Amino acid sequence: MNGAIVQQDIEYLTPIPYGVSVTVRYRVASVDETSLIRSFEALSDDAVAAHGEVLNVVLDEDGVPTDAPQEWSTRIEQFEEGPVDVASAGQ
């Protein structure tokens, strides 16, 4: 099973100068039948400098969108230590 990024959005709230240390925090925001959305924020000097989302599509070995395994939703919720918006994952 593979995946592809099909869309990525980022909004910069403040400049991030070259050479400044940046911490990026990711989480899975939602999972549906064939895709998942990850949200992220970039911190610079302990303040949010940017945030956004990445849309990933689950692909089979032939590169065709396919259902995300139900196990993914279960494991993601365990990792995130809380609910994730799950819309019919793996059904």
Side-chain angles (χ1 to χ4, degrees), residues 20-88:
V20 171
S21 180
V22 175
T23 300
V24 179
R25 297 191 296 207
Y26 266 94
R27 75 176 301 274
V28 175
S30 66
V31 178
D32 69 15
E33 289 182 9
T34 61
S35 64
L36 58 95
I37 295 175
R38 295 178 293 143
S39 61
F40 65 90
E41 58 185 12
L43 290 85
S44 178
D45 294 327
D46 296 324
V48 177
H51 60 89
E53 291 185 338
V54 177
L55 172 61
N56 293 85
V57 172
V58 181
L59 303 173
D60 65 15
E61 291 74 23
D62 296 321
V64 176
T66 189
D67 289 349
Q70 177 61 40
E71 178 185 355
W72 286 16
S73 298
T74 302
R75 295 182 80 182
I76 289 167
E77 285 187 348
Q78 290 171 347
F79 179 81
E80 295 290 350
E81 297 180 346
V84 174
D85 181 19
V86 177
S88 305

